[in-house]
Amino acid sequence: MINGSISFWYQETGIPPLRPPLRETLDADVCIVGGGFTGLWTAYYLASARPDLRIVVLEKRFAGFGASGRNGGWVTGSVPGLRSRYAADRGRDAVVAMQRAMNQTVDEVISVSGAEGIDADVAKGGVLHVARSPAQLRRLRDQLAVEAQWGNTDVVELSAEEVAARIRVDEALGGSYSPHCATVQPAKLAQGLARAVEGKGVTVYEDTPVLELRPHRAVTPRADVRARWVLRATEGFTASLAGLRRLWLPMNSSIIATEPLSEAEWAQIGWEGREALGDMAHAYMYVQRTAGGRIALGGRGVPYRYGSRTDADGSTPQRTVGSLREILAAMFPSLRGARIDHTWSGVLGVPRDWCATVGLDRVTGLGWAGGYVGTGVAATNLAGRTLRDLVLGEDSELVRLPWVDRQVRRWEPEPLRWLGVHAMYAAYRYADARESRTAGPTSGVATVADLVSGRR
Ligand SMILES: Cc1cc2nc3c(=O)[nH]c(=O)nc-3n(C[C@H](O)[C@H](O)[C@H](O)COP(=O)(O)OP(=O)(O)OC[C@H]3O[C@@H](n4cnc5c(N)ncnc54)[C@H](O)[C@@H]3O)c2cc1C
């Protein structure tokens, strides 16, 4: 089993040769810091709208090094964050508009990938959520009622038989299906996008860590970029920038990828529709059937490292691999002996209020987008189009979405941050284990953990 090496997705594609670093101070119109999906989509839409702009991307390692090249590949229409919280600030209609925009974004990602000739193994199979305990089933039904309130009226409940007709998940008591999700090979999408933005005249500097963001300036060890607009697109790595340590908490997520499964194994499982697959556990997991016939299954491992440290190459503790393997075997007992070929981890950004944000300060020229709380593959595209409109001063529907210019308080100093996150995930593990043993309702322990951590 390969452990780390960025991700299985890069094992498939190979890590591309590095682009040259920034060596000399230069002037630009727009300087984007971070070459993940946020940075690349922003560059893409700005360069498409205004080919005359001088746009540069500064990337610490290489484009797609972070979560964008490591994720579970769900291009989901989920609104990143708590819709009720956005609504409390900006009203229900704004959230319904955001949900509609997110659903459309799934198709936007697919359509731009097609138009740019990016072959990212895209499959639009929707998303199937399964409930594997009575408490999970109750939460799933509550969730369905909530979806309709936000205008997501095409999410449907499935009986246990209907779930099995799609994917035979052991002990599934029922499920829900939404058409608003596709799956991709994320490293292929990130690399294809980097090439597409270069094709539009954007310069991507790799091996170029930004140390500090100042008004109209990004500072790197060798040289600076002076620009009218400096846009931060560093998500889970934001804590490493001067002055931003407690802004967004870097949360880890880990994935295992099985060997390619045989036709006989697939025949037992079904899964011909290439749906993304998730469950209703508190310590949520996410799965895709890859184009190469493997299962990639992700979930929480060690959720957070002391002092907001982030890893370098995705290496994953053995006990995390063990717990993800257990989830795989519980869902698909016939795969208990399946070989795991690769495991890796990545880091995502969590704001204190668990809601994503996009913004631009017209005085300092500093902009930002991120804090997608684990659902950023599609949301980064919407954020990129929104940043485009903010930079260009367009009074569009996008700049009125409820995540624009959201101000949030910072996370607590250590050791409170570490203790809080670890206690929350211990509570979720306890609640999940208890719910799977009993027929009772949602465990009160999980509800308290949600309230204390700010997830409700
Ligand atoms: C394991 C895992 C699974 C996930 N699964 C899903 C999923 O299935 N669906 C979904 O919607 N979301 C998922 N997510 C979340 C999603 O991947 C992210 O929200 C999204 O990729 C964020 O993109 P980004 O460009 O904002 O950040 P990143 O992709 O992390 O990019 C940030 C970039 O900034 C660079 N950088 C950092 N610091 C500096 C600096 N100082 N100077 C210059 N460059 C810097 C980094 O090297 C990196 O390339 C997952 C995340 C992880 C970690």
Side-chain angles (χ1 to χ4, degrees):
M1 179 183 76
I2 299 175
N3 189 338
S5 302
I6 316 296
S7 70
F8 165 74
W9 311 120
Y10 280 109
Q11 196 64 29
E12 275 196 332
T13 63
I15 292 175
L18 279 189
R19 297 174 171 89
L22 178 75
R23 294 186 204 281
E24 288 178 357
T25 292
L26 56 81
D27 294 304
D29 295 302
V30 184
C31 171
I32 296 168
V33 179
F37 288 146
T38 299
L40 295 171
W41 283 123
T42 305
Y44 179 85
Y45 287 110
L46 272 170
S48 304
R50 288 280 306 275
D52 57 310
L53 291 180
R54 290 162 305 163
I55 304 172
V56 299
V57 175
L58 304 182
E59 164 55 49
K60 179 176 69 165
R61 293 284 299 275
F62 58 87
F65 165 78
S68 299
R70 307 187 195 195
N71 60 70
W74 287 31
V75 187
T76 165
S78 290
V79 168
L82 302 173
R83 288 171 295 192
S84 53
R85 197 160 279 165
Y86 292 117
D89 291 349
R90 308 276 176 99
R92 180 183 170 277
D93 289 353
V95 180
V96 171
M98 179 142 175
Q99 181 64 68
R100 200 182 313 120
M102 279 302 307
N103 290 348
Q104 288 162 353
T105 298
V106 178
D107 293 322
E108 171 73 8
V109 171
I110 296 170
S111 127
V112 175
S113 305
E116 295 295 338
I118 303 170
D119 180 6
D121 300 341
V122 181
K124 192 175 180 198
V127 56
L128 175 66
H129 277 99
V130 291
R132 298 185 59 247
S133 72
Q136 286 194 19
L137 190 58
R138 263 180 228 127
R139 281 204 294 283
L140 181 129
R141 288 186 174 142
D142 291 347
Q143 186 60 39
L144 278 164
V146 170
E147 291 303 328
Q149 277 172 25
W150 303 118
N152 244 349
T153 46
D154 46 7
V155 186
V156 291
E157 184 174 350
L158 304 181
S159 65
E161 295 70 33
E162 287 167 324
V163 169
R166 288 177 178 272
I167 308 176
R168 281 184 282 287
V169 177
D170 203 47
E171 293 181 354
L173 303 177
S176 68
Y177 177 78
S178 161
H180 302 296
C181 190
T183 54
V184 291
Q185 206 282 27
K188 289 186 181 175
L189 181 57
Q191 288 175 40
L193 259 182
R195 285 191 297 272
V197 301
E198 284 181 317
K200 289 183 176 291
V202 173
T203 311
V204 179
Y205 295 98
E206 295 186 328
D207 191 20
T208 301
V210 171
L211 304 175
E212 192 182 347
L213 302 174
R214 297 190 194 145
H216 311 294
R217 185 181 281 262
V219 179
T220 86
R222 300 185 198 98
D224 294 358
V225 174
R226 293 181 295 249
R228 172 76 184 93
W229 307 108
V230 176
L231 309 178
R232 166 165 56 81
T234 49
E235 245 264 301
F237 302 91
T238 301
S240 65
L241 287 164
L244 299 176
R245 176 163 291 271
R246 283 163 48 205
L247 188 67
W248 295 338
L249 185 129
M251 182 84 84
N252 287 300
S253 197
S254 304
I255 305 187
I256 53 173
T258 66
E259 63 185 319
L261 303 183
S262 67
E263 278 184 26
E265 283 168 320
W266 280 120
Q268 268 191 306
I269 294 169
W271 209 340
E272 272 145 31
R274 293 282 301 277
E275 299 89 344
L277 172 65
D279 71 359
M280 297 302 293
H282 299 288
Y284 185 75
M285 62 94 203
Y286 48 93
V287 198
Q288 76 148 289
R289 173 180 179 161
T290 72
R294 301 167 189 264
I295 290 181
L297 180 148
R300 286 281 171 272
V302 175
Y304 169 71
R305 286 164 207 248
Y306 194 86
S308 294
R309 277 183 292 125
T310 52
D311 82 322
D313 67 351
S315 84
T316 302
Q318 279 306 324
R319 67 190 155 96
T320 299
V321 179
S323 61
L324 295 176
R325 234 181 199 294
E326 276 310 310
I327 297 173
L328 178 73
M331 292 177 66
F332 305 111
S334 60
L335 298 184
R336 182 161 283 284
R339 196 179 71 227
I340 304 300
D341 278 351
H342 205 130
T343 184
W344 70 98
S345 299
V347 67
L348 47 102
V350 181
R352 188 65 181 87
D353 68 348
W354 298 78
C355 288
T357 156
V358 182
L360 184 69
D361 180 331
R362 302 199 75 81
V363 176
T364 60
L366 293 170
W368 66 89
Y372 310 104
V373 200
T375 49
V377 175
T380 48
N381 175 287
L382 185 61
R385 285 182 282 138
T386 307
L387 271 174
R388 171 201 60 197
D389 288 1
L390 289 169
V391 165
L392 300 183
E394 304 280 346
D395 182 22
S396 67
E397 276 184 25
L398 298 184
V399 303
R400 285 191 288 277
L401 292 176
W403 62 350
V404 173
D405 282 333
R406 228 186 135 71
Q407 303 295 332
V408 291
R409 73 181 167 97
R410 294 182 176 228
W411 284 88
E412 290 75 0
E414 295 291 20
L416 291 179
R417 233 166 35 244
W418 188 90
L419 287 170
V421 178
H422 281 263
M424 178 177 86
Y425 277 95
Y428 288 159
R429 280 194 298 275
Y430 170 85
D432 283 332
R434 191 178 157 77
E435 288 175 7
S436 68
R437 283 195 310 270
T438 68
T442 287
S443 163
V445 172
T447 310
V448 171
D450 280 347
L451 287 169
V452 172
S453 63
R455 290 186 81 178
R456 281 187 188 219

